Amino acid sequence: MNTLAFRLFLAVLLAVLCAAALIALSGHNPLEAFAAIASGAAGSPHALGVSLNKTTPYLLAGSGVALCFRAGIINIGAEGQIAIGGLGAATAALVWPVESPVVAIGVALLAAALAGAAWAGLAAAIHLGRHVHEVLVTLLLNFIAMLLVQQALAGALGAPGAGFLQSPLLPRAAWLAHPFAELGAHPGILVGVAASGGLSLLLWRSRFGFALRVAGASRQAAAYAGLSLPALTWGAMLLAGALAGLAGGIEVLGIHRRLIEGFSLGFGFKAVAVALLGALEPLAVVPAALFVGMLEAGSLSMQRQVGVPSSLVAVIEGLTMLFALAAMARR
Amino acid sequence: MDFLAATIRIATPLLLAALGGILSERAGVFAVGLEGMMLAGAFAAAVATWASGSDLVGIGAALAGGAVIGLLVALVAVRFRADQMVTGLSANIFAAGVTSYLLRANGGRAPSIHLDPLANWPVPWLADLPVLGPLLFNHPPLTYLAAAGCVALTWWLGRTQAGLTLRATGENPEAVFASGGNPARTRLLAVIACGAVAGLGGAVLSLQQVGTFTDNMTGGRGYLALASLIVGRWTPAGAAAACLVFGAADAFGLRLQTFGLPASSYVLQMAPYVIALAVLAGLGRSAKLPAAIGQSLE
């Protein structure tokens, strides 16, 4: 674990060094650019709040992905589960408007988690029932989910007027409050940290978690020990799907306050990135998600202040993933 | 008539990428990185043609650009034995970032690249045939290349020693090793070649159809190509048929929009992914994926 943490640190360092070289190549000072990212991500309470909000979906979805990967289930369907979760939250809030914020938010987030779990369950059913590789199923379902959201917004759930597809504004009772005054952040980050803590306990302190780890280490050993692989797959997929759906619901209720086409674009793949960077350890996904969230929050101020294109962030993310994969490889 | 022409037009970049993907997957490496390979190819082709003024240089650059992403995937997935799919995804994120960044690297603003799209090359005599002529024998060069590539790959995979080795590496790498071959090297080369061919698919978009490069201009076509090679059951001819079906669905969707028909274009856009899923689910265990696909080499 210790050496793995060190190798992952090297992976991040190497990615950042490559990014520095790219910045220098375009005629800017890398240190200046990184300073601008840091100030944009944590230079003021408001900046920190933006970082925390950006971190939330990656943390929620990433912890679930980490759990699946631990069990050897390569679930790359978070993207679709987030989209369907957002659809569930928006539908619940619009179809059943209630006065009480507690009920409205509770119902919408429950709908989000259930919708996400159902979408992941569909993937599990096709994977287990028809012996289709889970990566192909989850990948293909991502596109179908995204188009389903667009179809819903072009039809019953849509509101005209914008240049893109969106739903009407949700009833005010369903909006997630921003209780930390100076930060301007919604409480989703707390849900995220609680979820990753809970998953970590589940993984290391429960019978189910032990079974997941055995299955991840060796399918043969798990089968020989009498563990039911289908039951484990169902459990991990439904949990991860519920968390990803919740991430989508929180994004809709806390940030946009309506459903917007493509609101989940790229989230699922970044959830995979933070799961890897956190060495598939749910608690370690917290700093990993924070790293990616802060990078994204800071990238715009880097572009504004120093003139370095903000797409540098995707370069850092992609390289970090590639290096982390190489660092985690079995030797 | 227009409809059929649009179908072929939409299918061409998909087919080239799918042919690359077949090389990779038949050698036993999932080709999730097709999207990034196409994007890198589209970028390299546009920038190189713009800088040099020569289409040929641009096409060479497309091959090289796609191959670079292929090399990255090959190193991490084959050399370091990381999960192939996740490696492909990472490469896609990297390619999207790096092409967008490099486009703006000089002064923070994207240059305005305007290229004349590659002209049609009518085949002498054949292009004058009624109906068939304009449909089949009056296309820009990369479209002929895609069709020729389809025939060439079928022959190469089925009839040459190297093609046999590649297929064996995807089915039973231990046997290749036992007979004195080097499965890791075969996979490495197959993935790099996959990148180069998919890069050509990207060049179809930037050089032949649009005449410039914009951020993320492949817009998921790499994943669509992946779906088409699954539906085509890992054969060039099957993939070509799937690409044409997907192209027709897309062209039909565009028609619907222009004529304001009530049917939904989103549902139509879903078709390729639903068909791919249905084919996989319908075939179940008999889907005949290359047997050793996804497995790392010990």
Side-chain angles (χ1 to χ4, degrees), chain B residues 238-252:
Chain B
C243 287
L244 285 172
V245 171
F246 294 177
D250 205 5
F252 187 61

Side-chain angles (χ1 to χ4, degrees), chain B residues 172-275:
Chain B
N172 191 342
E174 287 85 4
V176 174
F177 183 72
S179 64
N182 184 344
R185 202 179 65 116
T186 304
R187 283 191 174 180
L188 213 67
L189 292 175
V191 176
I192 295 170
C194 161
V197 178
L200 268 187
V204 173
L205 294 174
S206 62
L207 288 191
Q208 181 164 303
Q209 300 188 344
V210 185
T212 186
F213 178 83
T214 53
D215 284 351
N216 200 21
M217 80 180 297
T218 45
R221 285 182 182 82
Y223 296 109
L224 213 51
L226 182 65
S228 75
L229 76 92
I230 292 170
V231 173
R233 301 184 72 180
W234 295 271
T235 64
C243 287
L244 285 172
V245 171
F246 294 177
D250 205 5
F252 187 61
L254 292 174
R255 287 296 110 111
L256 285 182
Q257 279 172 344
T258 39
F259 293 122
L261 291 173
S264 161
S265 66
Y266 298 110
V267 174
L268 267 174
Q269 284 176 44
M270 241 179 256
Y273 308 110
V274 176
I275 297 173

Side-chain angles (χ1 to χ4, degrees), chain B residues 114-174:
Chain B
H114 294 291
L115 308 167
D116 296 326
L118 299 180
N120 282 7
W121 286 4
V123 181
W125 190 72
L126 287 176
D128 300 329
L129 288 174
V131 187
L132 278 185
L135 191 61
L136 295 181
F137 301 107
N138 190 8
H139 286 288
L142 293 178
T143 306
Y144 298 125
L145 193 62
C150 190
V151 177
L153 185 60
T154 307
W155 169 80
W156 187 83
L157 277 177
R159 302 281 156 151
T160 66
Q161 183 67 40
L164 175 67
T165 307
L166 182 126
R167 282 185 294 132
T169 304
E171 298 291 343
N172 191 342
E174 287 85 4

